[in-house]
Amino acid sequence: MATAGLLVRNRGELGFIPASVVRAIRYDFVITPYPGRELGMTLFAGRVIPVLDLGDDQRAVIVCEVDGELVGVRGLDPMQSGFFQGDEQGAVFDNSPVPTVNLQERLEYWRARQRAQEEPWLT
């Protein structure tokens, strides 16, 4: 089975992002620190969106739709887009499996940390 998506590199490891969630790849964003948070923010299509920092590569911002929310992802180096063998769980590149980058998990991790800071009595 073939699936469309984006291969990314993060700290030497390959990952896959399905095309169904990728909205844009930009190299010209200005990222502003979000006050009191461990993320940034940027302007995309007239809206301020959060930017998660997932790695060392700071050039590209991949805008994805996660749980109906636009989120920028910085730190992933886009390598190749197109059709690959695989499915939404991952792809095959050079005869090796490439796992899907779980952006929903990363976003939920950030949300949980924020709730713990804002409402410490709940933890």
Side-chain angles (χ1 to χ4, degrees):
M1 172 185 277
T3 186
L6 176 66
L7 286 177
V8 295
R9 186 174 305 280
N10 182 3
R11 297 182 176 123
E13 298 291 322
L14 284 178
F16 178 74
I17 303 176
S20 61
V21 301
V22 176
R23 299 294 172 258
I25 301 171
R26 301 282 301 266
Y27 291 88
D28 61 344
F29 277 146
V30 174
I31 309 298
T32 303
Y34 198 96
R37 305 283 195 270
E38 292 180 5
L39 77 161
M41 59 184 172
T42 194
L43 189 63
F44 176 72
R47 295 173 40 189
V48 174
I49 63 169
V51 178
L52 298 172
D53 194 352
L54 300 184
D56 300 329
D57 191 295
Q58 302 296 308
R59 295 171 293 167
V61 174
I62 303 168
V63 179
C64 298
E65 187 172 336
V66 181
D67 292 337
E69 177 182 358
L70 288 177
V71 177
V73 179
R74 183 167 66 166
L76 304 177
D77 184 20
M79 303 298 294
Q80 181 176 337
S81 63
F83 287 93
F84 304 91
Q85 291 300 314
D87 55 25
E88 295 283 316
Q89 303 304 311
V92 177
F93 181 70
D94 283 343
N95 297 319
S96 297
V98 179
T100 295
V101 177
N102 192 337
L103 296 175
Q104 186 173 10
E105 178 182 277
R106 305 282 181 108
L107 186 58
E108 186 52 41
Y109 173 77
W110 176 81
R111 287 175 179 158
R113 292 191 64 195
Q114 288 309 117
R115 283 191 296 272
Q117 289 177 356
E118 293 169 359
E119 303 167 347
W121 57 87
L122 295 178
T123 57

PDB file of all heavy atoms in Angstrom, residues 97-113:
ATOM      1  N   PRO A  97      11.955   0.480   7.636  1.00  0.00           N
ATOM      2  CA  PRO A  97      10.738   1.110   8.156  1.00  0.00           C
ATOM      3  C   PRO A  97      11.054   2.461   8.799  1.00  0.00           C
ATOM      4  O   PRO A  97      12.080   2.628   9.454  1.00  0.00           O
ATOM      5  CB  PRO A  97      10.231   0.114   9.195  1.00  0.00           C
ATOM      6  CG  PRO A  97      11.422  -0.685   9.588  1.00  0.00           C
ATOM      7  CD  PRO A  97      12.343  -0.697   8.407  1.00  0.00           C
ATOM      8  N   VAL A  98      10.174   3.411   8.577  1.00  0.00           N
ATOM      9  CA  VAL A  98      10.308   4.753   9.157  1.00  0.00           C
ATOM     10  C   VAL A  98       9.029   5.026   9.935  1.00  0.00           C
ATOM     11  O   VAL A  98       7.947   5.084   9.346  1.00  0.00           O
ATOM     12  CB  VAL A  98      10.509   5.815   8.057  1.00  0.00           C
ATOM     13  CG1 VAL A  98      10.609   7.200   8.672  1.00  0.00           C
ATOM     14  CG2 VAL A  98      11.736   5.501   7.213  1.00  0.00           C
ATOM     15  N   PRO A  99       9.124   5.201  11.259  1.00  0.00           N
ATOM     16  CA  PRO A  99       7.916   5.400  12.058  1.00  0.00           C
ATOM     17  C   PRO A  99       7.314   6.789  11.862  1.00  0.00           C
ATOM     18  O   PRO A  99       8.021   7.753  11.557  1.00  0.00           O
ATOM     19  CB  PRO A  99       8.398   5.222  13.497  1.00  0.00           C
ATOM     20  CG  PRO A  99       9.845   5.611  13.450  1.00  0.00           C
ATOM     21  CD  PRO A  99      10.333   5.186  12.080  1.00  0.00           C
ATOM     22  N   THR A 100       6.016   6.874  12.064  1.00  0.00           N
ATOM     23  CA  THR A 100       5.326   8.163  12.012  1.00  0.00           C
ATOM     24  C   THR A 100       5.689   8.973  13.252  1.00  0.00           C
ATOM     25  O   THR A 100       5.736   8.442  14.365  1.00  0.00           O
ATOM     26  CB  THR A 100       3.797   7.946  11.957  1.00  0.00           C
ATOM     27  OG1 THR A 100       3.494   7.282  10.732  1.00  0.00           O
ATOM     28  CG2 THR A 100       3.047   9.261  12.006  1.00  0.00           C
ATOM     29  N   VAL A 101       5.969  10.248  13.064  1.00  0.00           N
ATOM     30  CA  VAL A 101       6.215  11.163  14.175  1.00  0.00           C
ATOM     31  C   VAL A 101       4.863  11.407  14.834  1.00  0.00           C
ATOM     32  O   VAL A 101       3.929  11.886  14.191  1.00  0.00           O
ATOM     33  CB  VAL A 101       6.832  12.488  13.687  1.00  0.00           C
ATOM     34  CG1 VAL A 101       7.020  13.450  14.848  1.00  0.00           C
ATOM     35  CG2 VAL A 101       8.141  12.242  12.957  1.00  0.00           C
ATOM     36  N   ASN A 102       4.747  11.061  16.097  1.00  0.00           N
ATOM     37  CA  ASN A 102       3.473  11.172  16.793  1.00  0.00           C
ATOM     38  C   ASN A 102       3.306  12.603  17.323  1.00  0.00           C
ATOM     39  O   ASN A 102       3.619  12.892  18.473  1.00  0.00           O
ATOM     40  CB  ASN A 102       3.385  10.152  17.920  1.00  0.00           C
ATOM     41  CG  ASN A 102       1.988  10.040  18.476  1.00  0.00           C
ATOM     42  OD1 ASN A 102       1.183  10.959  18.360  1.00  0.00           O
ATOM     43  ND2 ASN A 102       1.700   8.906  19.080  1.00  0.00           N
ATOM     44  N   LEU A 103       2.808  13.469  16.453  1.00  0.00           N
ATOM     45  CA  LEU A 103       2.637  14.875  16.836  1.00  0.00           C
ATOM     46  C   LEU A 103       1.534  15.033  17.866  1.00  0.00           C
ATOM     47  O   LEU A 103       1.613  15.909  18.728  1.00  0.00           O
ATOM     48  CB  LEU A 103       2.337  15.712  15.594  1.00  0.00           C
ATOM     49  CG  LEU A 103       3.467  15.746  14.560  1.00  0.00           C
ATOM     50  CD1 LEU A 103       3.024  16.484  13.320  1.00  0.00           C
ATOM     51  CD2 LEU A 103       4.720  16.373  15.156  1.00  0.00           C
ATOM     52  N   GLN A 104       0.521  14.204  17.810  1.00  0.00           N
ATOM     53  CA  GLN A 104      -0.562  14.277  18.790  1.00  0.00           C
ATOM     54  C   GLN A 104      -0.021  13.995  20.188  1.00  0.00           C
ATOM     55  O   GLN A 104      -0.360  14.691  21.139  1.00  0.00           O
ATOM     56  CB  GLN A 104      -1.661  13.288  18.434  1.00  0.00           C
ATOM     57  CG  GLN A 104      -2.880  13.396  19.317  1.00  0.00           C
ATOM     58  CD  GLN A 104      -4.014  12.518  18.820  1.00  0.00           C
ATOM     59  OE1 GLN A 104      -3.832  11.689  17.929  1.00  0.00           O
ATOM     60  NE2 GLN A 104      -5.168  12.698  19.390  1.00  0.00           N
ATOM     61  N   GLU A 105       0.853  13.004  20.303  1.00  0.00           N
ATOM     62  CA  GLU A 105       1.459  12.681  21.595  1.00  0.00           C
ATOM     63  C   GLU A 105       2.331  13.837  22.088  1.00  0.00           C
ATOM     64  O   GLU A 105       2.304  14.192  23.261  1.00  0.00           O
ATOM     65  CB  GLU A 105       2.303  11.415  21.458  1.00  0.00           C
ATOM     66  CG  GLU A 105       3.012  11.002  22.725  1.00  0.00           C
ATOM     67  CD  GLU A 105       3.851   9.766  22.487  1.00  0.00           C
ATOM     68  OE1 GLU A 105       3.285   8.660  22.534  1.00  0.00           O
ATOM     69  OE2 GLU A 105       5.072   9.913  22.238  1.00  0.00           O
ATOM     70  N   ARG A 106       3.103  14.420  21.178  1.00  0.00           N
ATOM     71  CA  ARG A 106       3.973  15.546  21.565  1.00  0.00           C
ATOM     72  C   ARG A 106       3.146  16.742  22.019  1.00  0.00           C
ATOM     73  O   ARG A 106       3.489  17.418  22.987  1.00  0.00           O
ATOM     74  CB  ARG A 106       4.869  15.965  20.410  1.00  0.00           C
ATOM     75  CG  ARG A 106       5.709  14.878  19.825  1.00  0.00           C
ATOM     76  CD  ARG A 106       6.929  14.577  20.687  1.00  0.00           C
ATOM     77  NE  ARG A 106       7.734  13.540  20.094  1.00  0.00           N
ATOM     78  CZ  ARG A 106       8.902  13.731  19.526  1.00  0.00           C
ATOM     79  NH1 ARG A 106       9.420  14.930  19.456  1.00  0.00           N
ATOM     80  NH2 ARG A 106       9.565  12.718  19.027  1.00  0.00           N
ATOM     81  N   LEU A 107       2.039  17.016  21.321  1.00  0.00           N
ATOM     82  CA  LEU A 107       1.173  18.130  21.695  1.00  0.00           C
ATOM     83  C   LEU A 107       0.499  17.852  23.033  1.00  0.00           C
ATOM     84  O   LEU A 107       0.407  18.738  23.891  1.00  0.00           O
ATOM     85  CB  LEU A 107       0.132  18.386  20.599  1.00  0.00           C
ATOM     86  CG  LEU A 107      -0.753  19.605  20.786  1.00  0.00           C
ATOM     87  CD1 LEU A 107       0.074  20.884  20.892  1.00  0.00           C
ATOM     88  CD2 LEU A 107      -1.748  19.709  19.634  1.00  0.00           C
ATOM     89  N   GLU A 108       0.050  16.631  23.250  1.00  0.00           N
ATOM     90  CA  GLU A 108      -0.589  16.282  24.526  1.00  0.00           C
ATOM     91  C   GLU A 108       0.408  16.357  25.676  1.00  0.00           C
ATOM     92  O   GLU A 108       0.069  16.777  26.774  1.00  0.00           O
ATOM     93  CB  GLU A 108      -1.219  14.896  24.456  1.00  0.00           C
ATOM     94  CG  GLU A 108      -2.020  14.544  25.686  1.00  0.00           C
ATOM     95  CD  GLU A 108      -3.055  15.588  26.086  1.00  0.00           C
ATOM     96  OE1 GLU A 108      -3.739  16.147  25.206  1.00  0.00           O
ATOM     97  OE2 GLU A 108      -3.170  15.873  27.310  1.00  0.00           O
ATOM     98  N   TYR A 109       1.658  15.974  25.433  1.00  0.00           N
ATOM     99  CA  TYR A 109       2.704  16.091  26.448  1.00  0.00           C
ATOM    100  C   TYR A 109       2.864  17.552  26.857  1.00  0.00           C
ATOM    101  O   TYR A 109       2.934  17.883  28.040  1.00  0.00           O
ATOM    102  CB  TYR A 109       4.027  15.530  25.911  1.00  0.00           C
ATOM    103  CG  TYR A 109       5.204  15.762  26.812  1.00  0.00           C
ATOM    104  CD1 TYR A 109       5.393  14.987  27.944  1.00  0.00           C
ATOM    105  CD2 TYR A 109       6.136  16.760  26.529  1.00  0.00           C
ATOM    106  CE1 TYR A 109       6.473  15.196  28.785  1.00  0.00           C
ATOM    107  CE2 TYR A 109       7.222  16.979  27.355  1.00  0.00           C
ATOM    108  CZ  TYR A 109       7.387  16.188  28.479  1.00  0.00           C
ATOM    109  OH  TYR A 109       8.456  16.414  29.307  1.00  0.00           O
ATOM    110  N   TRP A 110       2.912  18.441  25.868  1.00  0.00           N
ATOM    111  CA  TRP A 110       3.040  19.867  26.169  1.00  0.00           C
ATOM    112  C   TRP A 110       1.811  20.357  26.942  1.00  0.00           C
ATOM    113  O   TRP A 110       1.930  21.089  27.921  1.00  0.00           O
ATOM    114  CB  TRP A 110       3.221  20.684  24.888  1.00  0.00           C
ATOM    115  CG  TRP A 110       3.245  22.137  25.199  1.00  0.00           C
ATOM    116  CD1 TRP A 110       4.299  22.861  25.650  1.00  0.00           C
ATOM    117  CD2 TRP A 110       2.141  23.033  25.144  1.00  0.00           C
ATOM    118  NE1 TRP A 110       3.930  24.157  25.870  1.00  0.00           N
ATOM    119  CE2 TRP A 110       2.598  24.287  25.573  1.00  0.00           C
ATOM    120  CE3 TRP A 110       0.805  22.900  24.774  1.00  0.00           C
ATOM    121  CZ2 TRP A 110       1.779  25.397  25.642  1.00  0.00           C
ATOM    122  CZ3 TRP A 110      -0.009  24.000  24.846  1.00  0.00           C
ATOM    123  CH2 TRP A 110       0.482  25.229  25.273  1.00  0.00           C
ATOM    124  N   ARG A 111       0.618  19.957  26.507  1.00  0.00           N
ATOM    125  CA  ARG A 111      -0.611  20.387  27.194  1.00  0.00           C
ATOM    126  C   ARG A 111      -0.632  19.914  28.645  1.00  0.00           C
ATOM    127  O   ARG A 111      -1.033  20.650  29.540  1.00  0.00           O
ATOM    128  CB  ARG A 111      -1.833  19.859  26.461  1.00  0.00           C
ATOM    129  CG  ARG A 111      -2.109  20.554  25.155  1.00  0.00           C
ATOM    130  CD  ARG A 111      -3.262  19.896  24.445  1.00  0.00           C
ATOM    131  NE  ARG A 111      -3.569  20.562  23.199  1.00  0.00           N
ATOM    132  CZ  ARG A 111      -4.207  20.003  22.186  1.00  0.00           C
ATOM    133  NH1 ARG A 111      -4.622  18.738  22.284  1.00  0.00           N
ATOM    134  NH2 ARG A 111      -4.445  20.673  21.091  1.00  0.00           N
ATOM    135  N   ALA A 112      -0.203  18.676  28.892  1.00  0.00           N
ATOM    136  CA  ALA A 112      -0.183  18.137  30.254  1.00  0.00           C
ATOM    137  C   ALA A 112       0.784  18.925  31.130  1.00  0.00           C
ATOM    138  O   ALA A 112       0.484  19.220  32.293  1.00  0.00           O
ATOM    139  CB  ALA A 112       0.196  16.661  30.239  1.00  0.00           C
ATOM    140  N   ARG A 113       1.939  19.266  30.597  1.00  0.00           N
ATOM    141  CA  ARG A 113       2.906  20.069  31.365  1.00  0.00           C
ATOM    142  C   ARG A 113       2.333  21.441  31.681  1.00  0.00           C
ATOM    143  O   ARG A 113       2.533  21.977  32.763  1.00  0.00           O
ATOM    144  CB  ARG A 113       4.218  20.199  30.598  1.00  0.00           C
ATOM    145  CG  ARG A 113       4.933  18.865  30.506  1.00  0.00           C
ATOM    146  CD  ARG A 113       6.315  18.986  30.008  1.00  0.00           C
ATOM    147  NE  ARG A 113       7.088  19.759  30.974  1.00  0.00           N
ATOM    148  CZ  ARG A 113       8.266  20.291  30.692  1.00  0.00           C
ATOM    149  NH1 ARG A 113       8.793  20.123  29.519  1.00  0.00           N
ATOM    150  NH2 ARG A 113       8.907  20.990  31.595  1.00  0.00           N
TER     151      ARG A 113
END
